[in-house]
Each structure stands twice: as structure tokens, then as C-alpha cells.
Amino acid sequence: MSTHIDNNAKFAKTVLMPGDPLRAKYIAENYLVDYKLVTSVRGILGYTGKTKDGKEISVMASGMGVPSIGIYSYELFNEYGVENIIRIGTCGSYQKEVHVGDVIITTSASSNSNYARQFDLKGGVLAPCSDFSLILKAYENSKKLGLNVHVGPIFSSDIFYDEDKEYYKKWQRLGILGVEMESYGLFINAMKLHKKALCILTVSDTFASDERELTQLERQTSLENMFKLALTMAE
Ligand code: HPA
């Protein structure tokens, strides 16, 4: 059985995955009903419950980085019957029109990670994508919620404190919307296991302009927009 998740845990078909365990706890406590803590191995908290409109949903943390989400998403898909994983996180913007506080629905994740090396593609390069049905559903639901979202490609970096402070410009020139550190691993696992994945991001900082940081209240509101959208993905 699973090495990193409680063997008795039960998960809904759809799991929301923030990076931070305390964010998983916050979502369970503030948005779910009839919820239960189902796993806490290594402090990676996971909850299963229902949305306020009665749909089953789980929320479990991924930790930070491709290796961490690679482990947890693999076990959820492979050993707990999970069909859809929707990462919810923050990112840095690479484009002027993507403002701090905005929400991004991802279409694909480029990366400098080695995660796809496991497939020995003989120099070929995999293009890890979000599932189209999840992209469409999230986009349609964002309109119903009156949210103005960006839909497009992101970069999953293996490095937060990069030695080369200009490196991001290469991805910026290619039209990448922003940077985070997990989606590439999640999308590859979904492709490998024939499951579905998506990432919804709130922009927490920017490389593209000297926009001020959000106040605590603005930051909370933009995170709440992302949580509300993510919860509409329950089936
Ligand atoms: N870099 C990488 N990951 C991030 C960032 C960033 O600037 N902001 C939020 N997640």
C-alpha cells in the first residue's frame, strides 16, 4: 500500500491540492461540510468531505516542488482511485497584463525539471498539458462566478533562488504567463496514469513590472476567488 499517505484514507474522485498543509486545513474548515482528516503522514494533511452543495471532494497538500507533488499525486491516482487532481497554488507573473491578484487556469507546464527522464524519450521532449475537459469546466465556471481569468502556459521551475537572475526572461519572451514549481510533475503523472489534472493559480508576485504587493486583505480575496473556483470542480 501507499508509502506516504495513510493506508486507511478514503478520497473523493476529485482532489484539490494546495502546496501548504495549512491551506488544505483552511479550505476544509471554511468551505467543506461533513469533512474528516484522512491523512497526516509527514504533516501532509488531507481531508475528505462535501462541498456546501453536497458534492464529494477531498483536499490534500502536495508540499513544494515537482518531486513532492510527484510522490503524492502518483499515490492518489494509483492507489486511492482518484481521477482528477486540481492543483491550487500561487505563482509569479512573467507578463505585464497578468497582474498580482489575478487568477490563471493553466493549459500546459514547461520546466527545467528532469522528471520526464524516466520515459527515456531518446532526445524527444514531452509537452505536459492540463486535461481539456477540466480546463473548459474551470473556464466556464469562472465566467459564472464573474471572475476574469487568464488561460495559458506556465513554467514549473526547479529553482526558486536562481543564480541567474535574468533566466526568467527566456520564458517571458516565449509568452509563458507565470512561474510556480509543481504543475509539470502533476501533469506528467496524470498523462502516465491516464488520469486528469489541472492547475489554478493566484498571482502572488511579479517579474514583469514593479507592481506593489497585495495587502493582506487583497491577497486573501484573490486566494478566496481561486478556492471558490476550484470547489466548483467537484463532481
Ligand atoms: N517562483 C516560483 N514559484 C512561485 C513564485 C515564484 O516567483 N511565486 C509563487 N510561487
Side-chain angles (χ1 to χ4, degrees):
M1 265 307 271
S2 170
T3 315
H4 303 91
I5 300 173
D6 192 310
N7 288 342
N8 296 314
K10 296 266 185 295
F11 290 93
K13 210 172 140 187
T14 299
V15 178
L16 306 184
M17 283 205 114
D20 178 357
L22 293 181
R23 200 159 279 165
K25 182 168 187 272
Y26 177 88
I27 293 168
E29 288 175 351
N30 289 280
Y31 290 97
L32 301 193
V33 292
D34 300 335
Y35 65 87
K36 207 173 121 194
L37 177 69
V38 293
T39 185
S40 60
V41 178
R42 287 176 181 248
I44 291 288
L45 305 177
Y47 299 82
T48 295
K50 291 197 164 116
T51 60
K52 291 185 177 154
D53 56 354
K55 294 178 182 155
E56 294 208 347
I57 188 110
S58 296
V59 53
M60 188 178 110
S62 68
M64 287 187 281
V66 166
S68 188
I69 200 165
I71 289 169
Y72 293 110
S73 61
Y74 184 88
E75 292 183 12
L76 287 173
F77 280 144
N78 201 45
E79 299 177 46
Y80 293 87
V82 170
E83 294 296 327
N84 310 305
I85 296 182
I86 296 150
R87 163 168 152 70
I88 47 179
T90 56
C91 71
S93 167
Y94 279 173
Q95 304 298 332
K96 277 202 189 70
E97 67 277 12
V98 180
H99 301 286
V100 175
D102 285 1
V103 172
I104 297 175
I105 294 170
T106 66
T107 51
S108 67
S110 300
S111 188
N112 51 2
S113 152
N114 279 328
Y115 200 69
R117 263 212 205 154
Q118 61 185 298
F119 304 115
D120 190 15
L121 296 170
K122 313 283 181 214
V125 185
L126 184 68
C129 298
S130 305
D131 176 79
F132 179 70
S133 65
L134 296 184
I135 297 172
L136 187 62
K137 184 171 174 180
Y139 182 73
E140 287 176 347
N141 291 349
S142 74
K143 295 294 141 206
K144 288 183 199 152
L145 290 172
L147 295 179
N148 191 15
V149 296
H150 304 270
V151 183
I154 53 140
F155 176 58
S156 294
S157 182
D158 252 6
I159 305 163
F160 188 88
Y161 299 108
D162 204 309
E163 188 68 9
D164 179 357
K165 301 289 177 241
E166 306 280 290
Y167 177 63
Y168 76 91
K169 291 185 177 165
K170 292 181 187 287
W171 298 100
Q172 184 175 57
R173 276 197 290 273
L174 289 164
I176 296 293
L177 298 185
V179 57
E180 49 83 85
M181 304 186 80
E182 290 81 18
S183 295
Y184 184 77
L186 171 62
F187 296 169
I188 287 179
N189 278 351
M191 292 170 99
K192 156 166 151 164
L193 299 168
H194 298 213
K195 303 276 185 168
K196 295 180 179 175
L198 177 71
C199 176
I200 304 175
L201 297 166
T202 298
V203 179
S204 60
D205 53 280
T206 179
F207 291 74
S209 64
D210 48 13
E211 255 170 69
R212 67 176 171 84
E213 293 204 356
L214 296 182
T215 64
Q216 252 187 336
L217 182 65
E218 286 169 328
R219 189 181 162 84
Q220 193 58 25
T221 308
S222 54
L223 287 171
E224 304 283 333
N225 285 338
M226 176 178 69
F227 298 156
K228 283 184 198 144
L229 176 57
L231 285 156
T232 68
M233 302 301 288
E235 290 183 358

